[in-house]
Amino acid sequence: MYLADRSAPAGAKTAPDGASVRAPAVASTVLALGAVSLITDVSSEMVTAVLPLYLVAGLGLSPLGFGALDGVYNGVGALVQLTGGHLADRVRNHKLIAGIGYGLSALCKPLLLLVHSLGPVGVVLALERTGKGLRTAPRDALISLSTPPESQGRAFGVHRAMDTTGALLGPLAAFFILNAAVGGYDAVFGVSACVAVLGVVVLMLFVPSGPAPGPEPVAAAKRGGAKPVGAVGADPDGTDPGGADSPRVSVREAAALLRLPRLRALALCAALLGLTTVSDAFLYLLLQDRAGIHEQWFPLLPLGTAAVFLLLAVPAGALADRIGRRSVFLAGHTLLLAGYGLLLWAPHWPALPYLVLVLHGLFYAATDGVLPAAVGASVPAKLRATGLAVVGTSQALARFGCSLAFGAAWTMWGAGPALATAAAGLCCCAAVAGFVLRPAAPDTEPDSATDPARLPRGTR
């Protein structure tokens, strides 16, 4: 199955002497990366929370201009994801590449203090997104390689919950700084830079360079044999992807990943759904426009999304591990479609902001960690970061196109018709994704992630 990977619950494992060994619910690597993401998201979301208002109200950008800048903000990172993923697999040091990405993003924060026009702001944001693109796939690969396959939905849910805690605290910090400091925007950018540096320090001190082996790999090493299938850090066929004698991953091997039917399906559906997913910044601008929210409260809108995401990311990931990732993933997009519908047809409801933000948070809880968990179950371990980057790039490039198209549609037609078009497109794309991600017939199609005959040369 594509997104409907089901496995036995994680927990008890069997030691060589037959005794039951209780594995930790979440690997220490996941918790350390979660702490780094929490700190970094406080920094990033401080900027993100005020950026739409700063650009539109402060610098006077039109919706089309903001759409172009928002597209650059997301599209550049998408293009760099492939480079970051391949480099991490090639040098076999995911922490190094992630650290470079986190460091670059931190260096860009103070530069926002020096630029006050569209061109320079666009360059700084592009560099900041370059850092994000470099770090995303190696970070997710570290999570995936440190977690047994049957628990990856939960692990990504825990990481995303910690990440979202930062997304919750960042806008709050921006709100208080804007209301308390002289030159509010510059104060937000300055504090954001200091917090970003702290995130890099935590990464260097507490995140290991590779996935920590679990009980099964240790036992296998003592016996002198290969890691068992499903062991942390092992390939789907049971081989060790990261040994000292293993050859470097070539560009040809990375490109051959697209021969995997499961990965192609995931990348296609991520792109289709990304084409009709309105960016967070536009959603908050729409909500302010439709509900008449005062500018003073605008930085607090992301808090609603973040709070729901924080509460439900872990349950949604565990549910996806149990009932199938396809169902949860598609349900998340259905909830987003419901949010679009409320913005279109219930703009005068007093409860509109709360309902839309709840649905937006549910959408992220059901999709943001579920998709990389599905990719991790579909790609050999030695190419894990590259596979995650392929799907992540497909999704992010599609959202880049959506930002440009939505900004143009809002400028030409108005907010309502632009959102109606996006909602219609999301409905159609979700139907196509449901068909493409349907469970494969077990008797007619072998599992391409575990069948050696179906793997690209060099990954068997």
Side-chain angles (χ1 to χ4, degrees):
M1 300 181 192
Y2 292 126
L3 267 161
D5 306 298
R6 295 190 184 95
S7 304
K13 295 182 181 292
T14 303
D17 59 0
S20 178
V21 178
R22 184 70 181 178
V26 180
S28 59
T29 298
V30 177
L31 297 177
L33 286 168
V36 174
S37 293
L38 188 158
I39 297 168
T40 302
D41 247 38
V42 171
S43 170
S44 297
E45 294 301 322
M46 286 175 66
V47 175
T48 302
V50 302
L51 196 61
L53 202 60
Y54 174 66
L55 295 173
V56 174
L59 300 184
L61 292 185
S62 68
L64 177 58
F66 178 75
L69 197 57
D70 188 61
V72 169
Y73 192 62
N74 293 288
V76 170
L79 291 172
V80 179
Q81 272 196 58
L82 284 174
T83 302
H86 178 64
L87 282 176
D89 286 334
R90 185 173 178 82
V91 304
R92 296 193 296 276
N93 193 332
H94 299 85
K95 176 183 174 179
L96 173 64
I97 304 302
I100 293 173
Y102 279 109
L104 181 58
S105 293
L107 286 174
C108 290
K109 296 296 193 306
L111 295 180
L112 289 170
L113 295 167
L114 308 176
V115 294
H116 301 285
S117 59
L118 176 59
V121 168
V123 171
V124 172
L125 293 180
L127 287 173
E128 199 277 337
R129 290 295 95 177
T130 298
K132 180 175 175 60
L134 281 175
R135 71 181 184 247
T136 298
R139 180 203 65 200
D140 284 351
L142 280 170
I143 295 171
S144 180
L145 292 170
S146 301
T147 306
E150 69 273 11
S151 302
Q152 294 208 7
R154 179 186 295 273
F156 277 103
V158 169
H159 174 267
R160 296 315 195 249
M162 296 179 73
D163 181 271
T164 306
T165 302
L168 193 67
L169 296 174
L172 274 176
F175 174 76
F176 287 116
I177 292 171
L178 278 178
N179 284 277
V182 177
Y185 290 117
D186 285 348
V188 169
F189 299 151
V191 174
S192 172
C194 296
V195 177
V197 171
L198 176 61
V200 177
V201 171
V202 172
L203 173 78
M204 302 309 296
L205 293 179
F206 298 105
V207 175
S209 296
E216 288 184 353
V218 170
K222 290 180 178 178
R223 295 194 302 271
K227 295 179 184 180
V229 175
V232 179
D235 262 338
D237 62 353
T239 60
D240 182 357
D245 298 329
S246 60
R248 288 181 178 270
V249 174
S250 66
V251 175
R252 183 177 180 181
E253 286 180 86
L257 274 178
L258 292 175
R259 290 169 49 192
L260 297 177
R262 179 175 297 181
L263 186 69
R264 287 203 307 269
L266 290 169
L268 172 64
C269 293
L272 278 176
L273 294 167
L275 282 171
T276 51
T277 301
V278 176
S279 74
D280 294 358
F282 267 128
L283 185 76
Y284 300 139
L285 286 172
L286 280 166
L287 190 54
Q288 183 199 28
D289 177 68
R290 307 290 279 182
I293 298 172
H294 193 274
E295 289 184 359
Q296 176 187 2
W297 305 107
F298 185 86
L300 296 182
L301 292 180
L303 295 182
T305 297
V308 176
F309 190 8
L310 172 63
L311 291 173
L312 298 179
V314 177
L319 181 65
D321 288 336
R322 187 166 63 251
I323 71 171
R325 291 159 188 155
R326 171 180 178 270
S327 300
V328 175
F329 185 72
L330 294 176
H333 286 86
T334 302
L335 292 167
L336 180 63
L337 185 62
Y340 290 175
L342 286 175
L343 282 170
L344 285 168
W345 292 297
H348 302 298
W349 281 11
L352 175 69
Y354 307 101
L355 292 174
V356 170
L357 293 175
V358 166
L359 291 170
H360 198 221
L362 285 168
F363 158 70
Y364 274 117
T367 59
D368 197 59
V370 172
L371 182 60
V375 176
S378 309
V379 180
K382 69 179 293 186
L383 292 168
R384 189 67 49 84
T386 305
L388 287 162
V390 167
V391 176
T393 298
S394 300
Q395 183 181 60
L397 284 177
R399 290 183 175 179
F400 165 74
C402 182
S403 288
L404 293 178
F406 191 83
W410 188 344
T411 301
M412 293 186 296
W413 305 335
L419 184 59
T421 302
L426 179 59
C427 186
C428 295
C429 290
V432 173
F435 176 78
V436 173
L437 297 175
R438 69 193 185 282
D443 295 330
T444 60
E445 182 179 345
D447 187 345
S448 57
T450 57
D451 183 2
R454 300 291 294 276
L455 291 175
R457 184 181 303 274
T459 64
R460 301 178 189 174

